[in-house]
Amino acid sequence: MFSKQFPKNSRSNTNSLQISSASLGYSGNRVVEDLSFSLQQGKINILIGPNGCGKSTVLRAMAGLLKPETGTVTLQDKPVHKWPRKILARELSFLSQAPEVPENITIDQLVHQGRFAHRGLISAMTSEDRDIVDWSLEQTSLTDLRYRTMRQVSGGERQRAWIAAALAQQSSILLLDEPTTYLDLGHQLEVLELLQELSITQNLTVAISLHEINHALMFADIINLMAKGKLLFSGTAQELTTTNLIESVFAIQGHYLNIPGHGPVHIPTSSQRRNNHAPSQKIA
């Protein structure tokens, strides 16, 4: 049985990832405007907001896949897009929405790919590599499934396999874009509980974009609420409940309920959009 820490910790002691006055977009179409915030180290940082608000764009910029039009995105005070990709992969892992992989690849083979940042594509696996792969599979409860193909496992198990591959990189930052997309409720909670446990036990900095408001309230140490390419709020779930931002941003009416041991949840009661377009008179 491996310890709860990486077998050999090669991660950086400093993992500050910061966005400063950044504007982001694609081919002249600006999506995010003058955004500034930093990830809280060793915490679960969750991005929420309506479709098209810029959550995925922000994560892509933090992963070094999108150069800011203005401003900076820096890791350890160096622009992320200037990091060599192999070196950057040792510092942060990025899991996109619905990542694709040949369905005949086994979970074990997928997780081994997480070691490419440390040993290259053709270098032989070392005993340290094998220890880290085994550890990553253990932490995601996939040891017994390691030789099954991605076709043979459930959606939740697939997501855990991708997370295991990210863990095998031994990076100190995990960026995940909608990791619960296409999963049923049980698998959604399974993935989020795993990420929460890893953040606590491994002191990992985790950034996640989510659609589900209550999952953000349940699992976030810090919630970042976006709308129309701007950051409107950054703080704890309890702090968010003192505002009416959820109602105004998502155009809903509702209220908060505090669940002992879990914190606040938001109970939506109606759509403001529907109410705004409702007929003023009853149609006979």
Side-chain angles (χ1 to χ4, degrees):
M1 182 70 67
F2 291 100
S3 70
K4 282 290 185 179
Q5 296 298 319
F6 283 111
K8 289 186 179 179
N9 190 348
S10 61
R11 294 175 294 166
S12 170
N13 291 325
T14 303
N15 62 3
S16 58
L17 184 57
Q18 185 166 355
I19 299 178
S20 300
S21 304
S23 297
L24 309 169
Y26 308 91
S27 302
N29 180 27
R30 188 164 288 184
V31 178
V32 173
E33 192 77 44
D34 193 29
L35 179 69
S36 295
F37 83 102
S38 60
L39 296 183
Q40 295 292 310
Q41 296 183 34
K43 303 294 184 182
I44 297 282
N45 303 259
I46 294 183
L47 289 164
I48 60 172
N51 290 341
C53 71
K55 301 186 300 292
S56 296
T57 300
V58 169
L59 287 175
R60 286 179 58 82
M62 288 194 291
L65 301 176
L66 181 65
K67 181 180 178 181
E69 296 177 1
T70 63
T72 60
V73 181
T74 58
L75 175 65
Q76 300 174 23
D77 298 323
K78 179 179 178 179
V80 174
H81 67 275
K82 291 186 177 181
W83 281 70
R85 296 307 303 178
K86 185 174 180 179
I87 303 301
L88 183 62
R90 300 175 187 174
E91 302 294 332
L92 63 83
S93 305
F94 175 62
L95 179 59
S96 62
Q97 288 189 43
E100 295 183 1
V101 68
E103 290 203 339
N104 61 348
I105 192 174
T106 66
I107 289 175
D108 186 78
Q109 290 170 327
L110 178 67
V111 177
H112 272 78
Q113 291 182 8
R115 298 304 300 157
F116 289 167
H118 297 270
R119 66 179 181 86
L121 293 173
I122 59 175
S123 301
M125 289 281 289
T126 66
S127 60
E128 178 183 354
D129 291 323
R130 287 188 288 270
D131 281 350
I132 293 171
V133 168
D134 289 345
W135 176 88
S136 301
L137 289 165
E138 181 188 6
Q139 296 308 300
T140 51
S141 301
L142 290 171
T143 301
D144 292 340
L145 302 178
R146 67 188 303 165
Y147 298 118
R148 292 191 185 182
T149 67
M150 295 292 275
R151 182 190 297 114
Q152 295 173 318
V153 296
S154 70
E157 289 162 347
R158 279 184 174 227
Q159 287 296 73
R160 282 194 276 134
W162 283 107
I163 293 170
L167 289 178
Q169 288 182 219
Q170 285 196 287
S171 58
S172 54
I173 301 173
L174 300 183
L175 308 176
L176 304 104
D177 190 8
E178 297 287 353
T180 57
T181 299
Y182 309 126
L183 300 182
D184 61 36
L185 180 58
H187 287 131
Q188 290 176 31
L189 292 173
E190 173 188 6
V191 168
L192 293 171
E193 287 169 356
L194 170 63
L195 292 169
Q196 185 180 57
E197 178 184 358
L198 291 170
S199 176
I200 294 170
T201 61
Q202 305 304 322
N203 193 35
L204 297 182
T205 301
V206 182
I208 314 171
S209 66
L210 289 179
H211 273 100
E212 174 54 54
I213 296 169
N214 282 323
H215 286 172
L217 293 171
M218 289 171 61
F219 290 98
D221 294 305
I222 299 294
I223 295 178
N224 299 283
L225 175 61
M226 296 185 63
K228 297 180 180 179
K230 294 185 178 295
L231 182 67
L232 302 185
F233 173 87
S234 183
T236 67
Q238 288 291 349
E239 290 169 341
L240 183 58
T241 65
T242 65
T243 75
N244 68 343
L245 286 171
I246 293 295
E247 287 76 10
S248 62
V249 166
F250 291 94
I252 58 176
Q253 294 178 345
H255 62 273
Y256 290 99
L257 179 66
N258 194 62
I259 306 297
H262 292 279
V265 295
H266 186 270
I267 309 298
T269 55
S270 64
S271 167
Q272 291 181 12
R273 292 189 182 93
R274 183 178 182 279
N275 291 340
N276 290 339
H277 291 89
S280 58
Q281 296 181 352
K282 182 177 180 181
I283 299 176

